[in-house]
Amino acid sequence: MSIQSKFSKLGTQNAPGQEGRQSAAGTQDFLRGEKLDGIPVDFSHGDVDAHEPTPGAFEAFCAGVELGGAQAYTEYRGDLSIRDGVAAKLATFTGAEVDANDGLIITPGTQGALFLAVAATMMRGDKVAIVQPDYFANRKLVEFFEGEIVPVQLRYRDAAQGQAGLDLTELEAAFQAGARLFLFSNPNNPSGVVYSADEVADIAALARRYGATVIVDQLYSRLLYQGVSYTHLRAMDIDPENVVTIMGPSKTESLSGYRLGVAFGSREIIGRMEKLQAIVSLRAAGYSQAVLRTWFNEPDGWMADRIAQHQAIRDDLITLFRGIDGCFVRTPDAGSYLFPQLPDLTIAPADFVKALRMLGGVTVTPGTEFSPHTANSIRLNFSQDHAAAVAAVERLSTLLDRYRA
Amino acid sequence: MSIQSKFSKLGTQNAPGQEGRQSAAGTQDFLRGEKLDGIPVDFSHGDVDAHEPTPGAFEAFCAGVELGGAQAYTEYRGDLSIRDGVAAKLATFTGAEVDANDGLIITPGTQGALFLAVAATMMRGDKVAIVQPDYFANRKLVEFFEGEIVPVQLRYRDAAQGQAGLDLTELEAAFQAGARLFLFSNPNNPSGVVYSADEVADIAALARRYGATVIVDQLYSRLLYQGVSYTHLRAMDIDPENVVTIMGPSKTESLSGYRLGVAFGSREIIGRMEKLQAIVSLRAAGYSQAVLRTWFNEPDGWMADRIAQHQAIRDDLITLFRGIDGCFVRTPDAGSYLFPQLPDLTIAPADFVKALRMLGGVTVTPGTEFSPHTANSIRLNFSQDHAAAVAAVERLSTLLDRYRA
């Protein structure tokens, strides 16, 4: 394999946030009708101007700068006193002990944590069970490290409310075929479904039976909508050395600009992750680490308000999508992603995504990023200005009519 | 190979900044005499309290936070307007064009740039020419990606002043043996020598002849002492697509706490680096990127003052080391590293490094991190409080006498 072909699998052309690098060449072949007026909305990521960073985050950063060298140069796994505070909060949140000294690492974003966790748990040629659909980097990470992906379907369309719809038979078959690593997001990105207590218990039981390691990305596990309960895998009956949990304050808390994530759990894997972080990025930005002092420490009522605002946007957008003929969307249990399936169109879904951006000022992420089976779905991060998001989905509806098959 | 053995090569036990994680077990076997009083000095990295961040850096960060979402979510390769500004400054500084759109990427620190550059230019099994001694991550990166290191000696002890002492015959032999990647730091970390114009021209000529790619880490190329001239490889007669230059404001400018680096040059390699960054860390922290607006834009006289302060510390420490019987040290041309070779001792150098820290409050980095041939050398980052650094080297001298063979 040449390095060119290795990197060709890591395409970022359709990745969220990279749309500005796309060429407009060829789009005249399928652009139809006039541009639609309205405030442009970039659903490829959340709008941290509409939903501002946690109160106190900036002040915590400034205090870190004030502290100087001690905050700029931390251990590679992050400052110990900050790890102490975060570990205690995460133990309470997840319902299982977190070892601040050896069982937690602070990383540059949850992406940094995911990269290190995968690199520290698989070798070239290893089989890795990956959910379809799931966060696009999961697949790319396994490909980059030359592993073999064993897909496990998430039948979120057909699952009962309260179930994510993981095909547990396929997961067991993956383990039987030799996979010893399972990587998944809960809540699922892109569909927003939360795995039920039974599903999480079944994953734990299978991991136990086959001695498999599980990496679970719980980035959105704090933003749960009314009536939804959440089960933490690490609190189940499972060898704690076989679980790595990944979280971070970038999404719900709108702290993306500081690039912070954490991975916690298995001491051995966290130890390897730190060794690798030493040559990947040394550490999460020292001053930024100080912002973690505000995490799980938000003002009273702040999180409830944030959830209520997102639930209101979710509900309005769901109503709009349900009014579009031929469109399917499941109501997300958590997080800020919608993953509607579009009706049949006269152009390729990838071209519709471009037309939507060029004619409607609406940026979404194509479904192919998440699974080969969801090409006719799109992902929207609805952590946006409420009115602008509603208007943008109305423009999307208008444009669907222009291209409807 | 098991994942355990793969990661065992990535030891961080003796890495700078990780000393706090070492156990004291066994040290009673070699600790000799009383502790020495004095302000502890950690020479494993620079002291950003003694040499403060560039004026305006914090304000630029705050302006980035103020800008909000547009600064938090940039292209993976970094914000275009910031890349524009930095590219122009780097073109002037290095004497060759920099393409802001396609030929520059902003990374989480220069470590991030190094990781991506190596990952984007070598495949498993590839031979890679690595200088001995050189920055320890260079070797570890090649090992992590399962390449084969072809060492090239830097005979800095024997080279004339004005020459770094690279063994060009060995470099050519490495290329003849099939290496198509050469990775080196200039100024050299740890020795502080700068490659002469002739040496850089010879490297360019060899790279041309063998079609090799060169990654040059120029992290310290702004901190040049009186009378030293610096030659930029990328401005020589060499295919610009075969050169990646790495710099960053973390050292001379004391901006380490923001974690910023850049790589620039080859459009194809930078493109691959961005694809990889998308799954490694997404981007350098968005708000931090704004700090790059102050880079190469420091107040008049600020850089001259910073250099003068470091030259004064350098000269005092050099005088002290030259007064120690059996110690060799070359005067660094640039940067803030000293790499003295210690006299023969009655204990292993690694144990002396521990004794120095425990008895003298002086932290240094063992020479084994940089080359298998420099076990009896130590690296000191002398970007410290001047008086504290002088006193620390005096304690080091006292402790050498306790352990002298």
Side-chain angles (χ1 to χ4, degrees):
Chain A
M1 184 166 56
S2 72
I3 198 154
Q4 286 78 9
S5 69
K6 177 171 183 176
F7 277 79
S8 70
K9 294 188 192 168
L10 289 180
T12 50
Q13 214 197 341
N14 295 311
Q18 295 298 98
E19 299 81 7
R21 296 189 67 82
Q22 288 176 6
S23 145
T27 51
Q28 65 281 4
D29 296 345
F30 58 79
L31 289 186
R32 195 177 297 171
E34 294 300 304
K35 285 191 183 180
L36 302 177
D37 285 340
I39 300 166
V41 175
D42 183 351
F43 286 111
S44 74
H45 59 75
D47 180 348
V48 299
D49 300 328
H51 303 277
E52 293 193 348
T54 323
F58 176 66
E59 290 73 16
F61 182 90
C62 297
V65 173
E66 197 59 37
L67 203 59
Q71 188 64 63
Y73 286 93
T74 70
E75 283 178 50
Y76 298 146
R77 63 178 67 200
D79 178 80
L80 179 57
S81 79
I82 293 170
R83 277 164 27 224
D84 270 335
V86 168
K89 303 251 170 58
L90 290 172
T92 305
F93 179 67
T94 63
E97 179 211 3
V98 177
D99 178 347
N101 200 50
D102 292 326
L104 185 142
I105 183 170
I106 301 172
T107 57
T110 46
Q111 186 66 57
L114 260 182
F115 177 82
L116 298 176
V118 171
T121 49
M122 66 163 283
M123 294 288 281
R124 165 165 45 91
D126 281 358
K127 292 189 170 77
V128 180
I130 294 282
V131 172
Q132 290 182 341
D134 210 332
Y135 178 50
F136 44 84
N138 296 3
R139 164 179 56 83
K140 291 180 185 175
L141 283 166
V142 177
E143 282 171 347
F144 178 72
F145 289 112
E146 302 177 41
E148 183 186 330
I149 289 169
V150 185
V152 179
Q153 297 308 309
L154 183 74
R155 309 199 187 283
Y156 64 98
R157 283 200 50 158
D158 310 319
Q161 196 67 31
Q163 299 281 326
L166 188 70
D167 189 322
L168 288 156
T169 309
E170 282 190 15
L171 180 59
E172 177 151 24
F175 289 146
Q176 282 170 341
R180 287 296 171 268
L181 176 61
F182 176 48
L183 170 59
F184 76 114
S185 60
N186 182 21
N188 174 258
N189 173 354
S191 72
V193 297
V194 163
Y195 289 68
S196 69
D198 283 351
E199 288 176 306
V200 176
D202 287 342
I203 291 168
L206 287 173
R208 246 187 358 255
R209 189 171 319 151
Y210 293 93
T213 297
V214 185
I215 300 171
V216 52
D217 171 358
Q218 302 194 171
L219 185 50
Y220 269 113
S221 57
R222 297 187 75 192
L223 192 68
L224 299 182
Y225 297 117
Q226 213 170 7
V228 175
S229 68
Y230 187 93
T231 307
H232 293 274
L233 178 71
R234 63 190 310 275
M236 308 298 282
D237 180 14
I238 188 169
D239 180 351
E241 280 297 303
N242 281 348
V243 185
V244 172
T245 304
I246 291 171
M247 288 190 66
S250 77
K251 299 292 187 185
T252 308
E253 303 83 352
S254 297
L255 296 174
S256 321
Y258 296 100
R259 288 271 81 213
L260 286 166
V262 295
F264 51 105
S266 168
R267 293 168 179 84
E268 188 178 334
I269 297 170
I270 300 289
R272 291 203 287 264
M273 289 171 69
E274 181 182 45
K275 285 182 170 188
L276 184 53
Q277 180 145 290
I279 60 167
V280 170
S281 60
L282 284 185
R283 60 178 72 80
Y287 301 148
S288 287
Q289 291 180 34
V291 172
L292 284 172
R293 296 191 190 278
T294 67
W295 199 30
F296 286 93
N297 207 13
E298 297 84 8
D300 280 349
W302 182 88
M303 183 61 76
D305 277 357
R306 176 136 298 192
I307 291 173
Q309 286 170 27
H310 283 76
Q311 186 155 329
I313 302 169
R314 175 193 74 162
D315 291 346
D316 280 356
L317 299 194
I318 288 285
T319 303
L320 285 173
F321 276 108
R322 296 248 160 92
I324 296 173
D325 195 35
C327 193
F328 168 84
V329 66
R330 184 166 159 176
T331 304
D333 304 312
S336 61
Y337 294 121
L338 282 186
F339 196 54
Q341 182 178 316
L342 304 179
D344 289 342
L345 302 174
T346 54
I347 60 173
D351 289 339
F352 179 74
V353 165
K354 285 184 188 171
L356 184 59
R357 183 160 60 85
M358 300 178 78
L359 298 175
V362 178
T363 303
V364 300
T365 305
T368 42
E369 290 286 301
F370 308 95
S371 164
H373 310 302
T374 55
N376 56 354
S377 295
I378 54 174
R379 190 192 71 175
L380 297 84
N381 185 326
F382 61 82
S383 185
Q384 307 289 344
D385 176 82
H386 192 143
V390 165
V393 172
E394 285 166 347
R395 295 200 295 282
L396 185 154
S397 176
T398 302
L399 289 169
L400 281 173
D401 285 339
R402 285 194 198 165
Y403 290 101
R404 198 176 276 281
Chain B
M1 182 165 56
S2 72
I3 198 155
Q4 286 78 9
S5 69
K6 177 170 182 178
F7 276 80
S8 70
K9 292 188 190 165
L10 288 181
T12 49
Q13 214 198 340
N14 296 310
Q18 294 299 96
E19 299 81 6
R21 294 189 68 81
Q22 288 177 8
S23 145
T27 52
Q28 65 281 5
D29 296 345
F30 58 79
L31 289 187
R32 194 176 296 172
E34 293 302 303
K35 286 191 182 180
L36 301 177
D37 286 339
I39 301 166
V41 175
D42 184 351
F43 286 110
S44 74
H45 59 74
D47 181 348
V48 299
D49 300 329
H51 304 276
E52 292 191 350
T54 323
F58 175 67
E59 291 72 15
F61 182 91
C62 298
V65 173
E66 197 59 38
L67 203 59
Q71 187 65 62
Y73 286 92
T74 70
E75 283 178 51
Y76 298 146
R77 64 178 67 201
D79 177 81
L80 180 57
S81 79
I82 293 171
R83 276 162 30 222
D84 271 336
V86 167
K89 302 253 169 59
L90 290 173
T92 305
F93 179 67
T94 63
E97 181 212 1
V98 177
D99 177 347
N101 200 51
D102 292 326
L104 185 143
I105 183 170
I106 301 172
T107 57
T110 47
Q111 186 67 55
L114 259 181
F115 177 82
L116 298 175
V118 171
T121 49
M122 66 163 283
M123 294 288 280
R124 164 167 44 91
D126 281 359
K127 291 189 170 76
V128 180
I130 293 283
V131 172
Q132 289 182 342
D134 210 331
Y135 178 50
F136 44 84
N138 296 3
R139 164 179 56 83
K140 291 179 185 175
L141 284 165
V142 176
E143 282 171 349
F144 179 72
F145 289 112
E146 302 177 41
E148 183 186 330
I149 289 169
V150 186
V152 178
Q153 298 308 309
L154 183 73
R155 308 199 187 281
Y156 63 98
R157 283 200 49 158
D158 310 320
Q161 196 66 32
Q163 299 280 325
L166 187 72
D167 190 323
L168 289 155
T169 309
E170 281 190 15
L171 179 59
E172 177 152 25
F175 289 147
Q176 282 170 342
R180 286 296 170 271
L181 177 60
F182 176 48
L183 169 59
F184 75 113
S185 60
N186 182 21
N188 173 257
N189 175 353
S191 72
V193 297
V194 163
Y195 289 68
S196 68
D198 282 351
E199 287 176 307
V200 176
D202 287 342
I203 292 168
L206 287 173
R208 248 187 358 255
R209 190 172 318 150
Y210 292 93
T213 297
V214 186
I215 301 171
V216 52
D217 170 358
Q218 302 195 170
L219 184 50
Y220 269 114
S221 57
R222 297 187 75 193
L223 191 69
L224 300 182
Y225 297 117
Q226 212 171 8
V228 174
S229 67
Y230 188 94
T231 307
H232 293 273
L233 178 71
R234 63 190 310 275
M236 308 299 282
D237 180 13
I238 188 169
D239 180 351
E241 279 297 303
N242 281 347
V243 185
V244 173
T245 304
I246 290 171
M247 288 189 67
S250 76
K251 299 292 187 185
T252 308
E253 303 82 354
S254 297
L255 297 174
S256 320
Y258 296 100
R259 289 269 81 212
L260 286 165
V262 296
F264 52 105
S266 167
R267 293 167 179 83
E268 189 179 334
I269 297 171
I270 299 290
R272 290 204 288 263
M273 289 171 69
E274 180 181 45
K275 285 181 170 189
L276 184 53
Q277 181 145 289
I279 59 167
V280 170
S281 61
L282 283 185
R283 61 178 72 80
Y287 302 148
S288 287
Q289 291 181 33
V291 172
L292 284 173
R293 296 193 191 276
T294 67
W295 199 30
F296 286 94
N297 206 12
E298 297 84 8
D300 281 350
W302 183 89
M303 184 60 78
D305 276 357
R306 176 136 299 192
I307 292 174
Q309 285 169 26
H310 282 76
Q311 186 156 331
I313 302 169
R314 175 193 74 163
D315 291 346
D316 281 356
L317 299 193
I318 288 285
T319 302
L320 285 173
F321 276 108
R322 296 248 160 92
I324 297 173
D325 195 34
C327 193
F328 168 84
V329 66
R330 185 165 158 176
T331 304
D333 303 313
S336 61
Y337 293 122
L338 282 186
F339 196 54
Q341 182 178 317
L342 304 180
D344 290 342
L345 302 173
T346 55
I347 60 174
D351 289 339
F352 179 73
V353 165
K354 285 184 188 170
L356 183 59
R357 183 161 59 86
M358 300 179 76
L359 298 175
V362 178
T363 304
V364 301
T365 305
T368 42
E369 290 286 300
F370 308 95
S371 164
H373 310 303
T374 55
N376 57 355
S377 294
I378 54 174
R379 189 192 71 174
L380 296 85
N381 185 327
F382 62 81
S383 185
Q384 306 290 343
D385 176 83
H386 193 143
V390 165
V393 173
E394 285 167 346
R395 295 200 295 282
L396 186 156
S397 176
T398 302
L399 289 169
L400 281 174
D401 285 339
R402 285 194 197 165
Y403 290 100
R404 198 175 277 280

